[in-house]
Each structure stands twice: as C-alpha cells, then as structure tokens.
Amino acid sequence: MMRYPQTGNEVFVSFSLSNTMFSGIGKGTITREEVSADYLKALFSKYGVIVSAKPEQRRLLERVNALYDLELEIPDALKIIQLSEKNRRLVVISVQGLRRVNGSLLPEYTPEEFQEATFSFVKYYVQGRHYDELVAENEKLKRDLNSEIAWRNRVSDI
C-alpha cells in the first residue's frame, strides 16, 4: 500500500492543526504555503510520511487517496505528532463542503455528503532560526554585496 520511505525526517499529515504540534521546536520561523498533490507525492517520496488521523477519519483519507492517488497510510489509532529538529514539515489536509459541529468534522457522513467534499493541502515548515535573525543576516549580506559591487566598479582617477 504505502510506498514512501522511512527516513527519520518524515512529513507529518493531519486534518487539523494544534499548538502542541509546534511545541517541540522552540524558537523558529514557520512558513505556510498551499501545495498541490503532485508536490506532496514528490515530498513524501523524498522524506516519507506519517499520518495523524482519528479512526473515524478513515473514509476521509480513503477519499483523499482515491482523488489524489497519495497512497497515504490509514492508521488504526491516532498518532500524536510533534514537529522537531528532524521532523520539520506538517501538511494539513483542509476539508471543505462537509457539515461540522462546533468546527469539528463529524465521525460519519453519507456517501452523497462525501461526494460534495473538496480538499486542499497546506504545508507548514519550521525553520530552526528565528525570522529576526534571518532578516538581520539578509541585510548584512546585502551590505556586503553592495560594498563588493562598489569596490569592483570603482573608477580610478589616473
């Protein structure tokens, strides 16, 4: 079923996002981007994947696999995930078009309701360095580059 490698740097996949998923990182910068299923296949092929889903979300995962051919493993029990220095990527499968109670997906839907569901994918990546450090380093590199350009383009008064 699942053809993705085990690398020790797997990408986590979930239907939801919680603060506890990020508590293993400490200070850092989180980037967020919407990605395609084709991008995910390449990402999972390189790093592997660990799915965090409740047993009642089995049919949702089956639908995602059927629509996008992602070959995601369907776990028997919820795996609690926490990003770390080794596991820096999280993909949240966003589900639209299904009824919710208090913002949460329901344990069951009719086949007709499943036909109405649409999915999108958002990748979160945690960089170990804080944004302010990255901005400061970028500014220093720009100053150094401008000095180098000015030195190379100097005009002699001879």
Side-chain angles (χ1 to χ4, degrees):
M1 173 172 199
M2 194 165 91
R3 60 180 156 80
Y4 300 118
Q6 291 184 340
T7 64
N9 297 307
E10 284 80 7
V11 178
F12 294 130
V13 173
S14 181
F15 283 104
S16 62
L17 184 65
S18 72
N19 283 334
T20 57
M21 292 176 173
F22 295 99
S23 62
I25 289 292
K27 192 174 182 180
T29 300
I30 300 169
T31 58
R32 176 195 179 281
E33 67 177 310
E34 290 193 30
V35 295
S36 69
D38 288 337
Y39 174 90
L40 291 179
K41 288 176 194 176
L43 189 69
F44 298 160
S45 292
K46 182 174 182 179
Y47 295 104
V49 63
I50 295 173
V51 177
S52 173
K54 298 174 186 171
E56 59 265 23
Q57 294 171 324
R58 166 180 283 285
R59 289 189 57 211
L60 283 173
L61 276 172
E62 289 170 347
R63 181 89 174 127
V64 168
N65 282 338
L67 288 172
Y68 302 101
D69 193 32
L70 288 176
E71 298 185 35
L72 294 172
E73 176 186 11
I74 300 174
D76 293 327
L78 177 65
K79 294 177 185 167
I80 304 299
I81 56 175
Q82 187 177 61
L83 295 167
S84 66
E85 291 301 316
K86 293 185 80 171
N87 302 90
R88 297 176 168 274
R89 292 167 186 84
L90 168 67
V91 172
V92 175
I93 302 172
S94 180
V95 183
Q96 296 85 33
L98 291 178
R99 289 180 297 118
R100 297 170 187 262
V101 172
N102 297 326
S104 295
L105 292 168
L106 304 177
E108 261 314 303
Y109 293 98
T110 66
E112 294 78 22
E113 287 175 309
F114 270 116
Q115 293 302 314
E116 296 296 316
T118 59
F119 303 91
S120 58
F121 308 99
V122 177
K123 181 186 83 169
Y124 294 86
Y125 178 76
V126 179
Q127 192 158 353
R129 295 178 62 199
H130 192 272
Y131 178 78
D132 295 340
E133 290 175 33
L134 296 170
V135 168
E137 181 179 323
N138 194 32
E139 290 301 319
K140 181 187 180 310
L141 290 170
K142 283 181 188 175
R143 283 192 308 274
D144 292 350
L145 178 61
N146 288 334
S147 294
E148 179 72 18
I149 290 170
W151 186 82
R152 288 178 184 260
N153 294 334
R154 70 189 184 285
V155 177
S156 176
D157 290 334
I158 301 178

